[in-house]
Amino acid sequence: MAAASIALTLLITPKFSPKPIPKRSPTNSRTNSSAIIASSSSSSSSSSKNGSPPDTECPVPWEQQPVNEYQSLSTSFPFSWATADLRDYFSRLAVVGSSFAILVGLPVAAFGTGAVADPSAEALRCGLGAASAGILAITLAVIRMYLGWAYVGNRLLSATVEYEETGWYDGQIWVKTPEVLVRDRLLGSFSVKPVLTRVKLTLVGLAISLAVCVCIFINVDDPRKMQDHAGVKVIAGVYNDEAARSFEPNAFLPEHDFS
């Protein structure tokens, strides 16, 4: 009886059949991986479309980023002169000043003076005028360098960047990330500030030289001040009895002789 009941129970109870696990088709896995790669590439390309690293997500256009502006300025004319060594820097400035003094300043100074009685004094004034013109040309070039480097230095040291997104006066401001801020400030402190210091010292030296040339030019007696009055040469600042008689003959009449 016991064996019969057990056999009946086994016949009535349904057997357990586990559900088969669906296999992942290789087509679906390949599709998913390609979608992930495409999404990652699109995100990286969108973040690096302006030439910045993917982790910075810089929206500033490539040519308006301070680090790229620094690289462009350091290779452009004449701003690259300020980053050269002292010998090349001063030699280039000297060539510019000498060329301007000889080709422009000297002809203008010679044409403005004309023929005079004292060639030595007039030659000194002509040389001072040409030198002043050359110094002025160098000063304008150095001022241009200073303005360009000061602009880039301020953008590197600043925590924000002002830029135009499309170039149609749609100004935007981007706050630098900590990594970009550290990089820009290191570049501005160790690369731009020494250049600005050199340019400032050059401007001070040029200002002193120009002031000295102007003072000497003013204090040199102008030969054109020498005039002929009744056949007597009169020199400004020098007393002469003959010249005084030509100017005021009545003062030398006998009735005014007190001797």
Side-chain angles (χ1 to χ4, degrees):
M1 290 295 293
S5 62
I6 293 173
L8 183 62
T9 303
L10 293 175
L11 291 174
I12 295 173
T13 304
K15 297 182 179 179
F16 175 75
S17 61
K19 295 183 179 180
I21 300 175
K23 296 183 179 179
R24 182 177 297 177
S25 62
T27 305
N28 294 335
S29 61
R30 190 179 299 110
T31 303
N32 295 334
S33 61
S34 61
I36 294 173
I37 295 173
S39 61
S40 62
S41 62
S42 62
S43 61
S44 62
S45 62
S46 63
S47 61
S48 60
K49 64 180 179 180
N50 295 326
S52 59
D55 54 350
T56 58
E57 298 181 358
C58 177
V60 183
W62 187 90
E63 66 277 1
Q64 298 183 36
Q65 295 179 17
V67 63
N68 296 324
E69 289 176 339
Y70 165 78
Q71 295 177 356
S72 176
L73 194 71
S74 61
T75 57
S76 60
F77 172 85
F79 304 100
S80 60
W81 294 0
T83 59
D85 53 21
L86 289 177
R87 183 178 180 180
D88 293 340
Y89 174 66
F90 287 113
S91 62
R92 291 170 182 174
L93 293 181
V95 168
V96 171
S98 302
S99 302
F100 193 86
I102 294 174
L103 299 178
V104 179
L106 189 59
V108 171
F111 179 77
T113 56
V116 294
D118 190 357
S120 60
E122 190 59 32
L124 178 60
R125 292 174 61 87
C126 186
L128 289 173
S132 300
I135 294 174
L136 183 61
I138 298 175
T139 303
L140 294 178
V142 175
I143 289 175
R144 183 69 184 94
M145 294 182 198
Y146 176 79
L147 293 177
W149 282 107
Y151 171 77
V152 172
N154 290 334
R155 287 176 65 84
L156 285 172
L157 297 176
S158 177
T160 59
V161 177
E162 298 179 359
Y163 67 97
E164 293 182 1
E165 189 172 1
T166 60
W168 290 92
Y169 304 100
D170 51 349
Q172 303 289 336
I173 296 178
W174 177 64
V175 179
K176 297 179 182 179
T177 60
E179 295 81 5
V180 175
L181 182 61
V182 170
R183 181 200 63 189
D184 289 355
R185 287 189 172 178
L186 286 174
L187 187 61
S189 299
F190 293 98
S191 298
V192 178
K193 282 188 176 181
V195 174
L196 289 176
T197 302
R198 174 188 292 184
V199 173
K200 288 179 182 178
L201 294 177
T202 305
L203 287 175
V204 172
L206 291 171
I208 295 174
S209 302
L210 185 61
V212 170
C213 289
V214 171
C215 291
I216 297 175
F217 184 86
I218 293 174
N219 293 326
V220 171
D221 290 333
D222 189 355
R224 290 176 295 179
K225 293 181 180 179
M226 296 185 300
Q227 302 174 357
D228 291 336
H229 184 80
V232 179
K233 183 178 293 185
V234 180
I235 302 177
V238 178
Y239 176 77
N240 192 311
D241 285 340
E242 187 178 358
R245 289 177 183 274
S246 65
F247 278 107
E248 297 182 1
N250 295 330
F252 293 90
L253 293 176
E255 59 269 15
H256 294 287
D257 189 3
F258 298 99
S259 58

